[in-house]
Structures are given as structure tokens and as C-alpha cells.
């Protein structure tokens, strides 16, 4: 029997010249951005068909992996209830159902359950479904919510009467999904998105029962690099409009009892000055980087004197501690900090009698404050997990210092024992001498002889830190002999704010070279070898994958790039694309020649050359609003044209999904199974 030879699709070439700063780039696949063009859809479907054929031999393995990962998850699970305004709120799941059920009980957990939303019913007939932004009115009788059935992150806000169960006819289109009630129970504030760029730029006021066409515009953000949003203070005293860019913040406040009043400017924007605040009694407490406090400091000001000249220092800037967040209670102030890459939770009493840190003793872990909507309590709810420890939700009495574990994530596998796994933190040395930390996890008994498969993951942009957290699906790799590594490269904030500053704009290349230097270290230290090393990243982490593929393809056997941002220069020159203008402070503005040339030096699409590349899997969503599907499509077409090897290059477009992938609790696991099957197959692991 002759085996049928499978040939990859070939995208046609239509040269388009793109000129700026006296430089011309020729883009042969620019035409793939025509979303409505039947030829484009035909090409994407041809790539999907090729991917299906090339992975046909792993289909059963993918099903098995999916079932294995799904079986570890408790199907009839529920979140730990939290109390808000007389009701206990929680989310629960039922066996065999992929979507959450939102519910509440009045006063006690023994009371009768009231279902707010059963997303399993609401999702029927939709390939994609997402419920977002639940906001209950102060009198507990109404709830506003947002629904997205396309995955473009354009939510329609609706309102449900909780007494009658009726969903009101009001539909407010093209919003962020979130909304905020004034204290009169009939005024709702929400954020609209620009129809084309999807930038959140307008705040509206809606009166219950009125036609949304008559909603009042209360704020419009004119600066294209800023996004606007609206929320209510934990004290319930203020409606707050925020406006933020990568570098600056500005807020306006309104007494929540006076929704027809005018919003008052808190402190006008100053380029490079970020701030956020919480209200407590007669003061606002402010976390800010003002006065070059790079790692942020805590200040306070009286409620009627909000301009920055009145701000007083409470906790000064510290060179070695990043101040990330705060939670305010009647008797305590709780600060979330990061020191030497690790989370710390600091508890201080307002009477200055107590000031201490919660004790954590792991080498690498994740801890964070949870849902704490109640002011008048001494109980702090926080979460804890590590690469080897399933997630716990803990209630801590700040007065008695007693802890109660409210829930530990159940791993539904009789063979699972957290003592069977080891985690450690190791440090590679980057090209410029900087020490780059990595969090590592593997099954006990592994020998460092260069033969272990390693999956190295990173993100490395926007100051986003990938904390070392537990994953039940990752066990499918660890139990098959894989070592999993998170590289805490520059561009994140793992080692403070300067860690971010050293991996963006004109230092962006540090992100790529840090990842490559971590890979070299893993090989040198015999954790693995180039034959067994795999890399993975998504979105801006997908750009990272594109960068390392061009710069050091010989180090990897396989690379997975999910929804990758790879056509950096062209996208950043097109201000009609969602998110572009708000990104100038992250990547630079290529209308400026210096930034254009620097960006062009690393942009994955622009730097594809005739060379050997490792095995590559690229995934995207046709409706992605953040990284448009055509970026990975063009990149794959160009790689197909130029690469000089026989390695696999697979491209899968989910025609129903957007940036976040599939909806539903378990559907997303099918995508994980696809990724895992790809690298396990390359490793020769068939089951």
C-alpha cells in the first residue's frame, strides 16, 4: 500500500510595498488580512485540513489526554462563598456541564439557593459563550451582566430582575461587559468600546427603563493611548471613572448617592505617573510611582483634597520591594508586595499595634489576596499554591492569627500525591551578566543527564508576571517525564518594576535573549538537550516564540506559538487595529524612525530567513480581537516559503473563537491536549 504524500498548502504571493522613513518592506502575504475574502477563508481551511491530516495519528492520543486531564477536575465543584450585602455568593459546576452556574443564598449558607444565571442554558445554540461583569444593585433586586457570543470581547449588557426572574428588554451593545450601580438602584454606569478599534473610550449613564439610545455620555477619553473604565469604591461611597495608559493614570470621582452630579477630577494625568487608590473613612489611600518611586509607594490624602500636592507619604519607596496592591478593612490595611520575585502579604493595623507578614516557606510559590468585599471584618481571604501544591483558599483572622483552609483544590486522581514532585528556583546568567530566575517542577527521580524533555514557558511583556502556580493538566506532562520551566525573563515584573523597564521599548530584545540564555543554561546543566527542548508562549509570548525561532532555532526541537503577535511593525503602524495606539508605550511608536528600526530588528515576521527551523505548531482564533488571525497566517505562509528543513509546521485556526480560545469549562482542555500531543509525539511518547 502506497502511503499518500501530504503536501502543505501554499499561499499565493501578491507583493505589497510598505514604505516609511525611506525604507521599503515587501509583504507578499498582506492580502491575508481580508477577513471577508473567500480566498482567505479557503486558505485557512486548507491549513486546518493539512493540520488534521498531519496529526491524524495523534487524534486518539488527543482524546485520551483530554479525558485524562478532564478526569482530574472535580466536575461538581463550587467556589468558596463570599458574603456581600446580606447574601452569600458562589459559582458552581454540575457533572457533565461545561459552563458555570452563578448562585446566592440569603444571610446563611443553609438558606435556599437562588440561581442568578445558569450559563449552560444561556450558551445553548452558541459555538462560543461568555458571561461577564455581574453587578448586583445595592437593594439586591437587580443584576446587570454582559454577554459575548462571538469572542470579539464586545459584550451586550442586559439587566435581570431577581425578584421575578425576568430579563429586561434593555440591550446595551458594544461594551466591556462590566457596569456599576449608583446607590439609587436605578442608575447604571458602563463603558462603551469604539466599534472599529475596540478601545474602551466612553462612559455612559443609563437610567432603568429608559431607551439605551438616550443614555447620557458622562466621559469620553480623547487620547487614543488611554482606555477608560468605571467602578465603585469598596466603601460604596464613590463611583470612579478611570483612564489609563501603559504609563499614566487619571481618575474622576462622584458621590454614589448623587448619580446626576458631576464627576470631579481626582488628580490630572501626568506622563509617567501611575496611581490607584482606595477610600477609607475620611482619606484616600494611594499607590503611586510619583516622585520616581519606581517600585511604588503608599500615600494618603483627605477626601476633599485629592490633588497630588496634598498627598502624604505613608510607606516610602523601597528599592528591593515592589508594592503591587492593597486591601482595606475597618481595622487593618493589607499590602500585596513582591520581594526577590516572591509574593508577600503584609498586615498592618490602623492603630499601629501590629505589622507582620503572612509566613510562606516554599522556595517558589504564589500567594494573593482573594475576594474581600466586606470592610467590617477581621478575616482576610487569600489564595496559595505552588508548582507542586494544589490551590487553597484560606481565611485568616488578622487579630487572632488563626487560619482556616476553606478549600483545597481536589485532584481527582487516586495516584496523585504532591510529595512525588519537586520544585526549585534556578538562575541563568544573561548575555549582559544579569541573573535570570526560572521556576522548575518535575517528578522525583529524574536524572540530570541531558535526556529529559523540557517544556520552557514564558510571557515577558506588559509587566505581567507568570507566577509559579499549580496546574492539574500539567501533570500529564510531568507524569510522562517532562520537566516544566517558567522563565521569569525581563519584560515581566518578577524582580520589580525595573525588570519590566529593561524588557520593553528600546530594550525589548532582552526578553528574547533572556529566554535563549535560560535555554542554554538548561542544556549546559543537563536538564535537557536541544533534541529534547520545547518552548511555548502565547500572544505577546507568541511574539517571543517568533523571536527565538529566528535568533536561535537550533536550540529547540519544537515550539508552540499560540495567538502570536508576530507582525509587529505593520500592526503598530496601523492605528485602526484594536489595541494599537495603547501599545506605543510598550513597543514604541514606529512612526518614529528610531523605534521603527529597532522594532524591525526583532519583529518575527520581518526576520524570517532561509534557515532550518524546528518543529512548529501555531494556533489562532478567527475572531481574535487582540492579535488578528492574519498575523500568524502570514507568518506561517512566509515560514513555509523560506524554511530549509523538513520539520513539521502546523497551523490551526479555531474558526469559532477569539483570543481566549474556546469557551466552556472543558473545551479549552481540548486545545491543551492538542498542544501536548504535538510535543509528546515529537518526543516519541505515544500514550
Amino acid at each position: 500500500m502506497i502511503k499518500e504524500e501530504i503536501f502543505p498548502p501554499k499561499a499565493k504571493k501578491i507583493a505589497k510595498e510598505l514604505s516609511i522613513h525611506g525604507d521599503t518592506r515587501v509583504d507578499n502575504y498582506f492580502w491575508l488580512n481580508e477577513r471577508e475574502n473567500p480566498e482567505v477563508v479557503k486558505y485557512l481551511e486548507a491549513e486546518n485540513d493539512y493540520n488534521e491530516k498531519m496529526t491524524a495519528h495523534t487524534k486518539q492520543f488527543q482524546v485520551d489526554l483530554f479525558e485524562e486531564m478532564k478526569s482530574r477536575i472535580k466536575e461538581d465543584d463550587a467556589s468558596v462563598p463570599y458574603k456581600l450585602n446580606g447574601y452569600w455568593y458562589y459559582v458552581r459546576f454540575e457533572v457533565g456541564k461545561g459552563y458555570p452556574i452563578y448562585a446566592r443564598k440569603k444571610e446563611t449558607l443553609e438558606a435556599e439557593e437562588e440561581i442568578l444565571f445558569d450559563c449552560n442554558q444561556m450558551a445553548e445554540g452558541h459555538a462560543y459563550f461568555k458571561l461577564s461583569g455581574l453587578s448586583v444593585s445595592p437593594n439586591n433586586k437587580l443584576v446587570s451582566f454582559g454577554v459575548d457570543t462571538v469572542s470579539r470581547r464586545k459584550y451586550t449588557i442586559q439587566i435581570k430582575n431577581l425578584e421575578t426572574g425576568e430579563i429586561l428588554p434593555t440591550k446595551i451593545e458594544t461594551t466591556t461587559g462590566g457596569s456599576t450601580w449608583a446607590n439609587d438602584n436605578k442608575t447604571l454606569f458602563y463603558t462603551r468600546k469604539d466599534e472599529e478599534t475596540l478601545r474602551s473610550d466612553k462612559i455612559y449613564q443609563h437610567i432603568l427603563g429608559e431607551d439605551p439610545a438616550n443614555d447620557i455620555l458622562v466621559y469620553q477619553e480623547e487620547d487614543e493611548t488611554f482606555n477608560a473604565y468605571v467602578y465603585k469604591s469598596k466603601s460604596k461611597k464613590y463611583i470612579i471613572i478611570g483612564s489609563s495608559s501603559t504609563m499614566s493614570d487619571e481618575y474622576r470621582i462622584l458621590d454614589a448617592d448623587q448619580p446626576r452630579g458631576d464627576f470631579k477630577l481626582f488628580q490630572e494625568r501626568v506622563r509617567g505617573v501611575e496611581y490607584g487608590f482606595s477610600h477609607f473613612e475620611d482619606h484616600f489611600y494611594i499607590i503611586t510611582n510619583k516622585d520616581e518611586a519606581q517600585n511604588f509607594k503608599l500615600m494618603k490624602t483627605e477626601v476633599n483634597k485629592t490633588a497630588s500636592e496634598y498627598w502624604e507619604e505613608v510607606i516610602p519607596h523601597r528599592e528591593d520591594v515592589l508594592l503591587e496592591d492593597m486591601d482595606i478593612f475597618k481595622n487593618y490595611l493589607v499590602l500585596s508586595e513582591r520581594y526577590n520575585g516572591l509574593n508577600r502579604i503584609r498586615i498592618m493595623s490602623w492603630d499601629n499595634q501590629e505589622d507582620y507578614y503572612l509566613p510562606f516557606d516554599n522556595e517558589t510559590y504564589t500567594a494573593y489576596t482573594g475576594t474581600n468585599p466586606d470592610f467590617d471584618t477581621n478575616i482576610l481571604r487569600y489564595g496559595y499554591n505552588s508548582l507542586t501544591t494544589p490551590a487553597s483558599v484560606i481565611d485568616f483572622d488578622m487579630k487572632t492569627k488563626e487560619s482556616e483552609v476553606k478549600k483545597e483544590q481536589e485532584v481527582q486522581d487516586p495516584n496523585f500525591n504532591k510529595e512525588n514532585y519537586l520544585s526549585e528556583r534556578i538562575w541563568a546568567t544573561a548575555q549582559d551578566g544579569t541573573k535570570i530566575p526560572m521556576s522548575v517542577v518535575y517528578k522525583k527521580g529524574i536524572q540530570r543527564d541531558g535526556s529529559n524533555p523540557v517544556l520552557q514557558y514564558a510571557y515577558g511583556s506588559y509587566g505581567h508576571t507568570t507566577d509559579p502556580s499549580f496546574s492539574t493538566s500539567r501533570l500529564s506532562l510531568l507524569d510522562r517525564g517532562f520537566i516544566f520551566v517558567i522563565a521569569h525573563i525581563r519584560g515581566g515584573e518578577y524582580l520589580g518594576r525595573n525588570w519590566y523597564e529593561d524588557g520593553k521599548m528600546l530594550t525589548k530584545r532582552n526578553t528574547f535573549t533572556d529566554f535563549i540564555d535560560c535555554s542554554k543554561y538548561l542544556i549546559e546543566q543537563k536538564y535537557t538537550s536541544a533534541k529534547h527542548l520545547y518552548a511555548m508562549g502565547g500572544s505577546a509570548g507568541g511574539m517571543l516564540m517568533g523571536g527565538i525561532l529566528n535568533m536561535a532555532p537550533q536550540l529547540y526541537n519544537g515550539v508552540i506559538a499560540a495567538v502570536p503577535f508576530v507582525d509587529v511593525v505593520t500592526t503598530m503602524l496601523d492605528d485602526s487595529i484594536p489595541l494599537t495606539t495603547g501599545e506605543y508605550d510598550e513597543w514604541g511608536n514606529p512612526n518614529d524612525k528610531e523605534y521603527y528600526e529597532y522594532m524591525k530588528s526583532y519583529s518575527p515576521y520581518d526576520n524570517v530567513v532561509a534557515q532550518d527551523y524546528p518543529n512548529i505548531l501555531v494556533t489562532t482564533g478567527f475572531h481574535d480581537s487582540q492579535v488578528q488571525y492574519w498575523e500568524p497566517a502570514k507568518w506561517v505562509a512566509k515560514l513555509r516559503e523560506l524554511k530549509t528543513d523538513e520539520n513539521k509546521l502546523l497551523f490551526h485556526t479555531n474558526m469559532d473563537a477569539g483570543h481566549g480560545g474556546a469557551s466552556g469549562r472543558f473545551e479549552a482542555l481540548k486545545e491543551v491536549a492538542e498542544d501536548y500531543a504535538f510535543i509528546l509525539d515529537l518526543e516519541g511518547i505515544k500514550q
Side-chain angles (χ1 to χ4, degrees):
M1 184 176 157
I2 300 168
K3 197 177 170 194
E4 180 202 356
E5 200 166 351
I6 306 162
F7 294 102
K10 226 175 166 176
K12 69 178 180 185
K13 289 162 70 168
I14 304 172
K16 181 171 177 73
E17 293 191 352
L18 302 165
S19 298
I20 189 171
H21 305 307
D23 181 55
T24 298
R25 293 175 302 131
V26 177
D27 187 347
N28 289 319
Y29 303 108
F30 189 87
W31 66 276
L32 284 170
N33 73 358
E34 298 164 19
R35 191 188 297 272
E36 309 301 325
N37 182 342
E39 289 237 4
V40 170
V41 175
K42 194 174 153 194
Y43 169 69
L44 296 176
E45 286 172 344
E47 282 284 3
N48 279 351
D49 183 54
Y50 176 71
N51 176 56
E52 282 293 306
K53 287 175 177 165
M54 292 296 287
T55 57
H57 65 290
T58 70
K59 286 301 175 203
Q60 187 54 49
F61 190 20
Q62 287 184 42
V63 171
D64 295 344
L65 282 168
F66 168 74
E67 292 298 342
E68 176 181 299
M69 291 187 283
K70 185 183 170 193
S71 72
R72 293 195 193 101
I73 296 170
K74 190 171 191 289
E75 287 205 47
D76 55 341
D77 205 2
S79 65
V80 180
Y82 65 87
K83 198 168 190 188
L84 176 61
N85 199 18
Y87 281 84
W88 289 94
Y89 288 88
Y90 56 96
V91 182
R92 64 179 179 81
F93 291 90
E94 292 182 351
V95 174
K97 295 184 178 177
Y99 289 91
I101 295 166
Y102 292 85
R104 68 178 185 177
K105 293 182 178 181
K106 192 170 184 177
E107 291 303 340
T108 77
L109 290 169
E110 283 66 54
E112 191 182 345
E113 180 181 76
E114 179 186 344
I115 291 179
L116 306 180
F117 299 102
D118 183 343
C119 294
N120 299 288
Q121 293 173 5
M122 297 170 78
E124 280 176 20
H126 297 292
Y128 178 91
F129 178 84
K130 183 78 187 283
L131 180 75
S132 174
L134 272 61
S135 178
V136 178
S137 60
N139 64 7
N140 291 316
K141 294 178 178 179
L142 300 160
V143 59
S144 56
F145 61 99
V147 169
D148 175 12
T149 55
V150 179
S151 189
R152 284 285 284 172
R153 298 191 182 180
K154 287 159 70 170
Y155 289 87
T156 298
I157 291 176
Q158 295 177 262
I159 298 163
K160 183 176 182 178
N161 182 324
L162 292 172
E163 292 182 306
T164 65
E166 174 201 8
I167 289 182
L168 307 184
T170 304
K171 286 192 172 184
I172 306 172
E173 310 281 352
T174 320
T175 74
T176 58
S179 53
T180 301
W181 293 95
N183 291 343
D184 65 356
N185 298 295
K186 65 179 186 183
T187 309
L188 196 64
F189 293 91
Y190 64 90
T191 312
R192 266 229 159 96
K193 291 186 163 191
D194 181 281
E195 194 67 56
E196 186 178 19
T197 65
L198 300 188
R199 182 170 71 92
S200 311
D201 63 345
K202 297 180 187 73
I203 309 294
Y204 281 90
Q205 181 191 80
H206 173 75
I207 314 287
L208 207 61
E210 296 273 332
D211 183 341
N214 301 327
D215 287 358
I216 298 162
L217 178 68
V218 293
Y219 178 71
Q220 178 158 1
E221 179 50 65
E222 301 288 357
D223 188 327
E224 292 184 338
T225 66
F226 279 73
N227 282 303
Y229 46 95
V230 62
Y231 64 100
K232 200 179 203 174
S233 62
K234 179 175 168 177
S235 66
K236 307 292 178 252
K237 179 100 175 75
Y238 295 98
I239 303 287
I240 302 164
I241 291 177
S243 245
S244 295
S245 72
T246 309
M247 306 278 292
S248 316
D249 300 293
E250 180 176 88
Y251 294 90
R252 288 165 171 75
I253 57 175
L254 174 69
D255 186 328
D257 291 329
Q258 308 289 333
R260 307 290 174 277
D262 293 325
F263 280 86
K264 171 180 162 267
L265 185 64
F266 190 96
Q267 160 60 36
E268 69 180 359
R269 66 192 67 180
V270 175
R271 179 158 174 82
V273 175
E274 297 171 61
Y275 73 96
F277 59 87
S278 292
H279 171 240
F280 177 60
E281 293 182 345
D282 50 2
H283 282 87
F284 288 111
Y285 286 79
I286 304 148
I287 291 179
T288 181
N289 65 350
K290 180 171 133 37
D291 308 319
E292 297 181 6
Q294 194 177 30
N295 278 333
F296 294 82
K297 60 181 175 178
L298 185 67
M299 305 186 82
K300 72 174 183 178
T301 193
E302 292 175 29
V303 289
N304 56 355
K305 293 180 178 173
T306 60
S308 63
E309 63 255 34
Y310 300 113
W311 297 2
E312 303 166 31
E313 196 163 83
V314 179
I315 293 174
H317 174 256
R318 292 158 291 173
E319 287 296 331
D320 57 348
V321 179
L322 177 66
L323 179 57
E324 293 189 317
D325 206 356
M326 65 177 148
D327 290 89
I328 288 182
F329 298 86
K330 186 173 139 188
N331 299 317
Y332 294 92
L333 169 66
V334 178
L335 298 178
S336 297
E337 303 176 343
R338 192 178 289 273
Y339 171 72
N340 194 28
L342 300 178
N343 306 118
R344 297 201 304 194
I345 296 176
R346 181 180 183 182
I347 295 168
M348 307 162 72
S349 60
W350 290 115
D351 63 11
N352 294 321
Q353 295 302 299
E354 293 186 278
D355 184 350
Y356 60 93
Y357 287 92
L358 287 181
F360 303 119
D361 55 2
N362 212 319
E363 186 179 8
T364 177
Y365 63 86
T366 297
Y368 52 91
T369 61
T371 306
N372 291 287
D374 192 1
F375 247 174
D376 196 8
T377 178
N378 288 329
I379 304 294
L380 168 73
R381 176 162 291 175
Y382 73 94
Y384 176 87
N385 69 87
S386 75
L387 290 168
T388 57
T389 312
S392 294
V393 176
I394 299 156
D395 278 0
F396 177 78
D397 189 316
M398 295 180 277
K399 195 173 178 66
T400 66
K401 298 188 175 64
E402 290 172 344
S403 292
E404 182 190 354
V405 178
K406 302 298 285 186
K407 180 181 181 180
E408 182 171 310
Q409 177 186 3
E410 290 181 48
V411 181
Q412 304 279 293
D413 178 352
N415 298 317
F416 173 75
N417 178 351
K418 60 186 176 187
E419 302 305 322
N420 292 340
Y421 304 89
L422 284 174
S423 68
E424 58 182 338
R425 191 161 64 151
I426 58 177
W427 302 74
T429 305
Q431 294 174 10
D432 61 3
T434 306
K435 296 283 188 199
I436 312 297
M438 290 179 269
S439 296
V440 183
V441 62
Y442 49 87
K443 206 163 182 185
K444 281 181 180 171
I446 274 179
Q447 302 298 312
R448 271 168 48 187
D449 57 9
S451 68
N452 303 304
V454 165
L455 178 57
Q456 181 183 337
Y457 176 87
Y459 185 75
S461 291
Y462 302 106
H464 171 77
T465 299
T466 306
D467 280 312
S469 55
F470 187 79
S471 159
T472 55
S473 51
R474 190 189 299 136
L475 295 171
S476 291
L477 289 181
L478 301 182
D479 290 348
R480 289 175 172 84
F482 262 78
I483 298 171
F484 180 78
V485 177
I486 301 167
H488 302 291
I489 54 183
R490 282 175 284 188
E493 265 181 358
Y494 187 79
L495 290 177
R497 184 68 176 192
N498 64 327
W499 203 245
Y500 171 38
E501 299 292 342
D502 283 350
K504 68 179 220 191
M505 306 281 274
L506 295 171
T507 55
K508 187 66 217 169
R509 289 178 70 95
N510 284 340
T511 301
F512 311 120
T513 53
D514 283 0
F515 190 92
I516 289 165
D517 290 330
C518 286
S519 300
K520 288 176 176 172
Y521 182 83
L522 291 168
I523 292 168
E524 281 163 19
Q525 296 299 310
K526 294 202 162 33
Y527 282 90
T528 190
S529 64
K531 205 163 71 171
H532 300 289
L533 179 56
Y534 302 89
M536 183 176 182
S539 195
M543 177 188 69
L544 168 65
M545 295 301 103
I548 64 158
L549 277 166
N550 289 329
M551 294 175 182
Q554 74 286 352
L555 290 179
Y556 309 95
N557 188 38
V559 170
I560 298 172
V563 291
F565 173 39
V566 282
D567 191 11
V568 186
V569 181
T570 306
T571 291
M572 291 307 297
L573 281 168
D574 184 352
D575 59 16
S576 74
I577 292 178
L579 303 182
T580 290
T581 52
E583 308 278 281
Y584 289 156
D585 288 330
E586 180 70 27
W587 318 106
N589 183 346
N591 291 297
D592 175 329
K593 189 169 191 275
E594 183 183 20
Y595 286 103
Y596 170 83
E597 288 175 347
Y598 187 77
M599 214 176 266
K600 189 183 167 190
S601 78
Y602 69 74
S603 170
Y605 182 62
D606 291 290
N607 288 283
V608 173
V609 293
Q611 66 176 355
D612 283 4
Y613 285 90
N615 298 284
I616 304 169
L617 170 63
V618 182
T619 58
T620 192
F622 187 58
H623 298 289
D624 196 327
S625 61
Q626 287 190 268
V627 177
Q628 308 296 326
Y629 74 86
W630 60 77
E631 290 203 31
K634 289 163 54 170
W635 182 46
V636 167
K638 192 170 180 182
L639 280 165
R640 288 219 187 284
E641 177 195 349
L642 292 175
K643 73 189 196 84
T644 53
D645 57 81
E646 296 295 313
N647 290 325
K648 290 178 182 174
L649 172 55
L650 304 178
F651 180 39
H652 180 198
T653 304
N654 183 330
M655 300 304 280
D656 294 321
H659 198 67
S663 69
R665 193 178 180 204
F666 300 118
E667 283 303 303
L669 284 180
K670 291 179 180 171
E671 296 175 350
V672 179
E674 180 185 8
D675 293 343
Y676 283 7
F678 175 72
I679 56 175
L680 288 163
D681 183 48
L682 291 172
E683 220 19 61
I685 298 169
K686 305 295 184 191
Q687 59 181 46

